[in-house]
Amino acid sequence: MTNTIKDQTVLRLIAEESKRQIDELELIASENYASPAVLAALATPLANKYSEGYPGKRYYGGNHIIDEVENLAIERAKQLFKAEHVNVQPLSGSPANLAVYLALLQPGDTVLSLRLDHGGHLSHGHPMNISGRLFNFVHYEVDPQTGYLDMDQIRKQAKETKPKLIVAGFSAYSREIDWVGFHNIALEVGAYTLADISHTAGLIAGEQLINPVPFFDVVTTTTHKTLRGPRGAIIMCQTKLAKKIDQAVFPGLQGGPHDNVTAAKAIALGEALEPSFKEYAHQVIANAQFLAKKLQAAGYSIVSGGTDNHLMIIDLRPQNITGREAELALEKAGLSTSRSTIPGDPRPPFNPSGLRLGTAAVTTRGFKEKEIEHIAIWFDQALKSRDNNQTLAAIKQQVADLGRRLPPPQYY
Ligand code: DSN
C-alpha cells in the first residue's frame, strides 16, 4: 500500500512507526491493531467523497454507493449489539458523547457521571472539556476501600441531584458494570441513561461482558479499542431517540462523514460477528487476569484487587515510583504503557500515582499466558532497574525478539 508514497520523509516516518509497533509491545489499554482489511479500506477513493446527510437523504449527488456502505455498517452494528438504531458517522468518542448531550440536554442541565480521576473520561464533564463547560456535571466516585462502584451511594446522589442524564461506562475501571443497577436508578429519578462502552465494546460484542444496548437509552463506543476497527465511533439508541441523535450528529455537530472510515467500520463490525472474535475477546480477559495475578505475586497492588475486563490500574505508591517515571522506564524497555490516576490520587494527573495496562493489542498479536508471563517479568525488572539504561536496553532487545516472532497484522 505504501509503495505508492513517493514522499521520502513521510515514507521514512511511516516505516519507523511501523517498526516500532513490531518491536515494542503495546500495553496501552485503549489501543489495538486493526486488521489489514480495515487499514486497506481507509486508503481507498471513498476518502474523496462528500456525503452530508444520511442514506437516502444526502445534500450532495453521487452518493448511491456510499448509501450502501453506510447501511451495511449500520446493519452490522445493529446485529452485533442488538441495537434498534445506529449512527455510524461520529468522528471519534468525544464528539459522539457531545452529540448525545446535545440531543438530550439543554445547557445547564444536570448530568451524573464518574469522576475522571476515579476512572471516568474527559468528555464525561471535566471542567476543561466542552461537556463540563456547557452542562452541570456532578460526579460519583468509586469506593476508596474496594475500588468498586458503590451503587447505593450512586442511587443516593441521583436522588439528591436529580440528573437529567446518568453516564456509565469508563476509561479506567476494571470491573464488570452493573448496567441493570444504573438503569433502575435512572428509572427511579426519571433520568436518561448513556453507556460509554468505548473500552469494552469488543468484549461485549464477543459476549464476554454484559451488553447494555438493549435497555439503555443511548450507548456510545469508539471503534478502535477492543472492537479493533478504525479510529472513529458509533452511537446506538432506542428508536424513540433516533431522530434527536441523528440531528445532533448532523447538522448539529459535524459536516460530511468520513466514508472511507465508514467502510472500515463495516469491515471491523463484520470481523466482530465472526465466531473467532468471541475467542479473541475471551483470551483478552484471560490474559488480563493472568497478568494481574502475576504482577500481584511480584508485589504490585492492583486497584480493586484485579480485573474483569481487558485493563488494570496499578497503584505504584508501595514501590515509591510515580506513574510517569514508570511509563518512561517501561518505554525504554520496549513496553508501551500509560500513566493513570488512582482513585483519590494525591498526585496530579500529569504525574499520577498509577499506571494503566491493557491486553487487547498483545492478544491480537496472538499472545497467550506463556507470553504474558514474560511481560510480567520484564515489567518488574524494568521498574526495579529504572535507573539502569543498560538493563533497560537489554530488556528492550528481548521484547523485540518476542515481538518479531508474534508481529501485529501488517498491511504492506
Ligand atoms: N484516550 C482514551 C483512553 O486512553 O482511554 C480514551 O479517550
Side-chain angles (χ1 to χ4, degrees):
M1 194 86 57
T2 50
N3 301 344
T4 50
I5 300 177
K6 300 291 174 234
D7 183 322
Q8 291 305 310
T9 311
V10 175
L11 198 55
R12 174 180 59 76
L13 292 171
I14 292 173
E16 284 177 10
E17 173 58 16
S18 303
K19 182 172 182 310
R20 188 196 69 79
Q21 290 191 16
I22 295 168
D23 288 355
E24 296 184 7
L25 298 183
E26 190 53 74
L27 297 168
I28 291 177
S30 48
E31 294 190 17
N32 210 333
Y33 308 102
S35 72
V38 165
L39 295 178
L42 295 174
T44 59
L46 277 70
N48 298 330
K49 190 75 194 94
Y50 246 120
S51 316
E52 283 181 4
Y54 289 104
K57 195 179 172 211
R58 303 283 185 185
Y59 291 81
Y60 290 77
N63 269 306
H64 56 287
I65 299 164
I66 296 300
D67 280 1
E68 284 191 50
V69 171
E70 190 164 331
N71 280 328
L72 187 64
I74 290 169
E75 288 310 315
R76 286 181 178 173
K78 280 186 180 174
Q79 192 187 337
L80 189 61
F81 290 102
K82 301 173 181 58
E84 286 185 7
H85 179 78
V86 182
N87 186 310
V88 296
Q89 295 193 5
L91 303 177
S92 210
S94 294
N97 286 340
L98 186 54
V100 177
Y101 305 145
L102 292 178
L104 304 182
L105 308 172
Q106 294 299 319
D109 277 348
T110 298
V111 186
L112 186 60
S113 69
L114 183 63
R115 266 176 70 149
L116 177 64
D117 59 355
H118 281 234
H121 188 255
L122 270 176
S123 66
H124 297 180
H126 189 275
M128 297 287 281
N129 184 267
I130 184 79
S131 55
R133 294 171 64 178
L134 284 183
F135 306 102
N136 174 38
F137 274 82
V138 284
H139 296 296
Y140 52 90
E141 301 182 350
V142 297
D143 182 310
Q145 302 307 322
T146 64
Y148 277 73
L149 293 168
D150 177 346
M151 298 309 288
D152 291 335
Q153 180 58 29
I154 295 169
R155 173 176 283 102
K156 191 163 166 274
Q157 261 182 292
K159 286 188 167 164
E160 281 164 10
T161 57
K162 298 190 177 28
K164 194 161 174 194
L165 173 69
I166 298 177
V167 183
F170 318 106
S171 61
Y173 184 70
S174 62
R175 294 304 185 176
E176 176 73 281
I177 294 164
D178 180 3
W179 302 114
V180 175
F182 275 105
H183 174 66
N184 289 340
I185 293 170
L187 281 181
E188 283 176 44
V189 301
Y192 286 118
T193 44
L194 165 61
D196 179 346
I197 60 167
S198 293
H199 263 269
T200 52
L203 308 178
I204 291 169
E207 295 179 1
Q208 304 300 310
L209 295 178
I210 295 163
N211 180 11
V213 175
F215 55 96
F216 259 55
D217 290 311
V218 188
V219 177
T220 55
T221 181
T222 49
T223 42
H224 49 272
K225 297 187 175 86
T226 51
L227 196 52
R228 220 162 58 177
R231 301 199 81 80
I234 62 175
I235 303 176
M236 297 170 271
C237 68
Q238 311 221 338
T239 309
K240 63 176 191 246
L241 297 174
K243 197 166 168 204
K244 283 184 182 202
I245 293 290
D246 285 352
Q247 285 182 345
V249 174
F250 171 84
L253 195 61
Q254 296 182 180
H258 296 180
D259 298 320
N260 55 329
V261 181
T262 305
K265 285 175 184 171
I267 291 173
L269 291 161
E271 290 173 351
L273 281 163
E274 294 290 324
S276 60
F277 198 80
K278 285 191 186 55
E279 286 164 37
Y280 164 69
H282 179 81
Q283 191 63 47
V284 168
I285 297 176
N287 282 348
Q289 290 177 337
F290 188 76
L291 180 58
K293 223 169 62 187
K294 287 288 155 190
L295 292 176
Q296 282 168 322
Y300 292 92
S301 166
I302 312 279
V303 172
S304 86
T307 180
D308 299 325
N309 57 30
H310 62 302
L311 68 81
M312 69 206 72
I313 312 297
I314 303 168
D315 178 353
L316 290 167
R317 287 176 302 176
Q319 280 73 26
N320 206 20
I321 312 172
T322 70
R324 188 151 181 263
E325 285 166 348
E327 184 190 294
L328 289 172
L330 291 163
E331 189 169 340
K332 286 187 193 169
L335 300 174
S336 193
T337 64
S338 55
R339 58 192 182 269
S340 170
T341 51
I342 54 165
D345 204 326
R347 300 189 56 84
F350 192 72
N351 192 4
S353 304
L355 194 76
R356 189 184 63 170
L357 301 181
T359 53
V362 289
T363 307
T364 295
R365 294 173 81 143
F367 279 42
K368 296 217 164 105
E369 285 80 351
K370 190 169 122 223
E371 289 81 22
I372 298 292
E373 184 148 21
H374 287 295
I375 292 180
I377 293 167
W378 289 327
F379 179 95
D380 185 40
Q381 283 175 348
L383 291 195
K384 287 191 171 130
S385 314
R386 61 190 175 281
D387 298 322
N388 185 334
N389 282 334
Q390 229 176 342
T391 306
L392 294 174
I395 299 170
K396 191 179 168 105
Q397 188 53 55
Q398 294 175 60
V399 166
D401 289 344
L402 178 59
R404 285 171 204 162
R405 269 201 287 121
L406 288 171
Q410 296 294 300
Y411 76 110
Y412 66 98

